[in-house]
Amino acid sequence: MTAAYTLYAKPGFTATTIERLCAEARISNRAFYECFGSQEELLQAVHERCVEESLAAVAKAVQEAPDTLGGRVTAGIRAYIEFIAADWRRARIMHVEVRRSGDILTTSRQRAIDAFARLVQEASADFPPAAPLNRRLVALGVVGALQELLIEWLLTDDQPPIDELVDTAVHIFIRSLSTPDTDG
């Protein structure tokens, strides 16, 4: 798993052979197949571990946040971005390689997006919505916006500071989820 975590982040899943993975992990090909049925199965396990760990970090931050929409949103976004940014490998697997892997992670990616959207819905449920819109669709939209901000952060040569990324994401979430009198 550790070797996959590094190699799937760079050079990337499609550039990583089982032979290279086994050499990096110092195991035989046979040992690999005793643990995983395929390289795709290993990628899914690595991705799902990253998602589970980040969901736990965000849920904890939201639970400990001030009981305002702004407090919950800020705490959750900061926790997610800092957790992702703390390890470039996790960031690349969750936001770049998940897309480059094609159909391999489609189901895993959709489960992750759904879990984050549910977390957004739960965190904002106590507050009036910004408009009479479907909360699930709004939650999916803001999760997608955050993903795109992180992809930009990962792939650009001139990375914006983490605080700027957090502030931008918080602005998008608050404006999407709240009425003007509930965004504090």
Side-chain angles (χ1 to χ4, degrees), residues 58-80:
V58 172
K60 181 177 188 269
V62 169
Q63 185 177 25
E64 295 172 354
D67 196 22
T68 64
L69 182 61
R72 291 177 185 176
V73 166
T74 302
I77 288 172
R78 180 165 297 282
Y80 184 73

Side-chain angles (χ1 to χ4, degrees), residues 77-142:
I77 288 172
R78 180 165 297 282
Y80 184 73
I81 291 174
E82 287 179 352
F83 185 79
I84 293 300
D87 189 330
W88 66 271
R89 298 171 299 177
R90 178 174 35 236
R92 292 211 38 112
I93 288 167
M94 289 183 69
H95 293 286
V96 176
E97 290 305 313
V98 71
R99 286 177 163 83
R100 289 184 179 163
S101 67
D103 292 340
I104 297 165
L105 288 180
T106 298
T107 302
S108 182
R109 181 177 178 270
Q110 287 308 117
R111 277 196 307 262
I113 290 169
D114 181 62
F116 283 107
R118 275 187 276 122
L119 194 57
V120 169
Q121 286 178 271
E122 290 167 11
S124 64
D126 298 336
F127 305 96
L133 299 172
N134 180 318
R135 279 186 183 254
R136 174 164 171 66
L137 295 178
V138 172
L140 287 169
V142 295

Side-chain angles (χ1 to χ4, degrees), residues 119-162:
L119 194 57
V120 169
Q121 286 178 271
E122 290 167 11
S124 64
D126 298 336
F127 305 96
L133 299 172
N134 180 318
R135 279 186 183 254
R136 174 164 171 66
L137 295 178
V138 172
L140 287 169
V142 295
V143 167
L146 180 56
Q147 288 180 341
E148 292 304 318
L149 290 172
L150 285 163
I151 290 168
E152 172 68 15
W153 177 80
L154 279 164
L155 299 180
T156 188
D157 291 333
D158 187 25
Q159 287 184 327
I162 295 296

